[in-house]
Amino acid sequence: MKAFWFVARYYLKYFCVITAGLGLFFVGIDVLKLASELPDSANLLILFILYDFAYALGFILPISILLSEVMVLSVLLRNNEFAALLSLGHSKRQIALPIFVCAALLLTAFVALNATPFAYSKEEVDRIINKNFTNKSKQEILVKHQNNYIYFDKVYPFTKRAEGIRIYTLNNNTLTRLVQATNAIFVNNEWQLLEVVLFDFNEGAKLGDIAYSQTKLPRLEILKGFKPKILDIIYEKSDSVSILDAFSSLLFLQNQNIDSTKIRGILYSLVFFPFFCFPMLVILLRFMPLTVRYGELSWFVFASILMSLMAWGVFFALSRFAMSGFIHPEWAFVLPMFLWFLLGFVVALRLNRYEG
């Protein structure tokens, strides 16, 4: 147990240092790039730094986890502590256990955070930089919901309102109702249409008959569960979305028999992408030398950092391919991830006390 906490303390110390360093570097670049657009308010500037750091975690956390292991292993080798642990009867698996436990807890916490408003840190950054971000709209959107085809002239996802709504209800490919509304707001998980005009069409009308009846209403509740964020996810190329909203969007698209390729790619990326580093952790441990005498430490560190960055780059690119919808996410991301974990499992089976 003492050996477990000994390695765990090493790992967490280097993880904090590397994460803080990479995060501040990321934020510093953004501050320099957006210096002319930053707000004058000190409070808003602090919020910008915090939100930008939170946004950066999505990129740097897997790298920090891998680089932290490289640093821990290099320090253990340099101080001959790794050989001492082996001589005391600890196997490579036992030495690696605290690293894997810490990495698993960190990654699980990060994925859980992505199911909360933490996932919208990038939107908060944009809102601070672009003072009119709350008025950013999606224009001329047409979507299907059950038997309805809904057209939005403008949708404001951030403020949960819309303008110029027309809802066409079809029955056996025949238009039976048209709903027009000037404005709409999303309240209590449903849209409340304001200044509504209903046109109910007479399907069996003949020449000379009244073709439709018109009704005016001050308010009409409709489209329950049709969240503004669903529109933002479907029509916005950004991956700034929480896991819960992405899952709700997936259920909505599947219920409406609409292609869900893009949203599946986003979900796979949010949930599975950070865990690509687990097989890499095993591979780095498997090929490390037992002592400095049997391998050049600087070469091991250089090769480990290079391999970690390459693995991150490959799976980051695959996640973007999956999210773009250009390639089916199951082929672009899930299959490579499965093969990668299979390789990590095979390598893990060969770990023992004596092989380096």
Side-chain angles (χ1 to χ4, degrees):
M1 199 63 182
K2 289 184 178 180
F4 180 95
W5 290 113
F6 173 75
V7 177
R9 281 196 300 270
Y10 258 136
Y11 182 80
L12 292 175
K13 180 180 73 173
Y14 285 113
F15 173 80
C16 293
V17 172
I18 292 173
T19 302
L22 291 177
L24 291 176
F25 176 78
F26 185 99
V27 173
I29 294 296
D30 279 354
V31 169
L32 291 176
K33 183 174 65 175
L34 302 170
S36 61
E37 303 176 39
L38 291 175
D40 297 329
S41 169
N43 291 336
L44 288 178
L45 185 59
I46 293 173
L47 286 176
F48 170 83
I49 294 173
L50 292 176
Y51 284 127
D52 204 38
F53 186 86
Y55 172 62
L57 281 179
F59 302 100
I60 66 176
L61 187 72
I63 288 293
S64 297
I65 286 175
L66 292 175
L67 295 184
S68 299
E69 185 193 39
V70 174
M71 291 301 299
V72 169
L73 296 180
S74 64
V75 169
L76 292 179
L77 284 172
R78 186 185 60 202
N79 298 335
N80 291 319
E81 292 169 330
F82 190 80
L85 289 172
L86 291 176
S87 65
L88 290 174
H90 299 287
S91 67
K92 275 190 174 183
R93 293 177 184 174
Q94 291 173 321
I95 297 173
L97 181 62
I99 296 176
F100 277 84
V101 171
C102 292
L105 292 175
L106 291 169
L107 289 173
T108 302
F110 178 72
V111 171
L113 280 175
N114 277 326
T116 69
F118 170 89
Y120 297 111
S121 301
K122 182 63 168 61
E123 288 189 358
E124 296 295 335
V125 170
D126 292 338
R127 189 163 65 91
I128 294 173
I129 295 299
N130 304 317
K131 298 177 179 58
N132 62 343
F133 179 76
T134 55
N135 292 323
K136 184 179 179 182
S137 65
K138 307 288 184 297
Q139 299 185 7
E140 298 181 349
I141 295 175
L142 179 66
V143 294
K144 180 179 180 295
H145 181 259
Q146 297 175 357
N147 292 326
N148 301 315
Y149 289 85
I150 307 103
Y151 172 82
F152 295 90
D153 186 32
K154 293 182 179 179
V155 177
Y156 302 88
F158 192 85
T159 55
K160 298 182 179 181
R161 62 188 183 89
E163 297 176 358
I165 304 96
R166 290 194 290 274
I167 303 174
Y168 303 89
T169 302
L170 300 181
N171 184 16
N172 296 325
N173 296 324
T174 301
L175 181 64
T176 59
R177 169 177 282 192
L178 169 62
V179 178
Q180 292 182 337
T182 306
N183 297 287
I185 56 175
F186 189 76
V187 182
N188 297 327
N189 202 35
E190 64 183 3
W191 283 97
Q192 292 187 3
L193 308 184
L194 309 176
E195 303 176 33
V196 182
V197 180
L198 279 70
F199 298 92
D200 290 302
F201 296 95
N202 185 0
E203 295 183 49
K206 298 179 181 179
L207 185 62
D209 294 343
I210 297 176
Y212 67 90
S213 60
Q214 178 178 328
T215 307
K216 292 185 178 181
L217 298 173
R219 184 183 298 267
L220 178 65
E221 289 78 20
I222 199 170
L223 302 177
K224 186 176 180 63
F226 193 79
K227 298 179 180 180
K229 198 62 188 177
I230 292 177
L231 294 173
D232 198 29
I233 294 169
I234 296 172
Y235 290 93
E236 182 64 53
K237 294 181 180 180
S238 173
D239 60 334
S240 179
V241 56
S242 74
I243 293 175
L244 293 180
D245 284 339
F247 186 71
S248 299
S249 302
L250 177 63
L251 294 178
F252 171 81
L253 293 176
Q254 290 181 339
N255 290 336
Q256 302 303 317
N257 295 320
I258 302 175
D259 180 56
S260 60
T261 300
K262 177 183 175 182
I263 197 64
R264 294 203 313 274
I266 292 175
L267 267 175
Y268 293 148
S269 178
L270 290 173
V271 177
F272 299 119
F273 167 68
F275 291 96
F276 85 89
C277 56
F278 272 108
M280 195 69 234
L281 291 173
V282 177
I283 293 172
L284 294 178
L285 185 69
R286 171 65 179 82
F287 293 103
M288 70 171 291
L290 294 181
T291 65
V292 180
R293 291 180 301 171
Y294 297 130
E296 185 62 39
L297 181 59
S298 59
W299 171 250
F300 168 72
V301 173
F302 171 76
S304 298
I305 293 175
L306 183 62
M307 290 172 60
S308 300
L309 293 175
M310 288 178 62
W312 178 87
V314 168
F315 281 97
F316 182 79
L318 290 175
S319 69
R320 299 294 133 169
F321 276 123
M323 291 167 59
S324 69
F326 180 72
I327 304 175
H328 279 288
E330 288 76 16
W331 294 104
F333 187 77
V334 177
L335 180 61
M337 184 68 78
F338 171 77
L339 296 176
W340 180 241
F341 267 84
L342 184 63
L343 174 63
F345 179 74
V346 171
V347 173
L349 291 178
R350 302 187 61 183
L351 280 178
N352 58 51
R353 187 181 308 174
Y354 306 106
E355 288 191 26

